[in-house]
Amino acid sequence: MSQSGPSTFLLVDDRTVSSLEIAETWISRTRGLLFRTTLPDALLLRPCSSVHGAWMRVPLDVALLDAGYRVLAVHRLRPWGMTRPRHGVAAVLEAPASSFERWGLAVGSRVAVG
């Protein structure tokens, strides 16, 4: 996967679906989407095996990805909710609620950065 930058896009099953922000440092992963007034179209946290919705005001779509960026599980994360760490999860994709349905992202989908 390529590094985050101004022309970074999320692909789902080889289709470009949105812009993408990547959180790869400890600080950027810890902050995630907390305290933002505007959410990005999508945020990829890597490495990461679980996320929480503490202090979030809106629900999020969350996908747990393996090392090859295949979707292992999909969740609707409610404010103050959390996903549990799961064996084989290498990264987590977050997006505003209902994004995954619009993009056709489901268990088994392959995610990539373009």
Side-chain angles (χ1 to χ4, degrees), residues 31-48:
R31 179 172 184 242
L33 297 176
L34 294 175
F35 308 116
R36 296 193 191 199
T37 55
T38 304
L39 298 178
D41 291 338
L43 175 67
L44 179 67
L45 299 111
R46 63 179 184 192
C48 183

Side-chain angles (χ1 to χ4, degrees), residues 49 72 84-90:
S49 63
L72 300 175
R84 294 185 175 165
R86 179 175 165 170
H87 179 70
V89 174

Side-chain angles (χ1 to χ4, degrees), residues 19-35:
S19 61
L20 178 68
E21 186 176 315
I22 301 174
E24 294 183 298
T25 67
W26 180 83
I27 290 174
S28 65
R29 288 191 312 271
T30 300
R31 179 172 184 242
L33 297 176
L34 294 175
F35 308 116

Side-chain angles (χ1 to χ4, degrees), residues 5-6 8 10 16 19 21 24 26 35 39 45 52 55 63 65 67 77 82-83 87-88 94-95 102 104 108-109:
T8 302
L10 175 68
T16 302
S19 61
E21 186 176 315
E24 294 183 298
W26 180 83
F35 308 116
L39 298 178
L45 299 111
H52 65 81
W55 297 287
L65 312 174
L77 185 68
M82 65 184 331
T83 64
H87 179 70
E94 296 180 337
R102 211 172 43 254
S109 294

Side-chain angles (χ1 to χ4, degrees), residues 1-2 7-22 42 44 63 65 68-71 93 100 103-106 108-114:
M1 291 191 119
S2 65
S7 61
T8 302
F9 296 96
L10 175 68
L11 290 85
V12 174
D13 297 325
D14 298 320
R15 292 175 290 106
T16 302
V17 296
S18 76
S19 61
L20 178 68
E21 186 176 315
I22 301 174
L44 179 67
L65 312 174
Y69 295 101
R70 173 86 53 193
V71 177
L93 178 67
F100 291 178
W103 301 339
L105 186 145
S109 294
R110 182 159 319 268
V111 172
V113 174

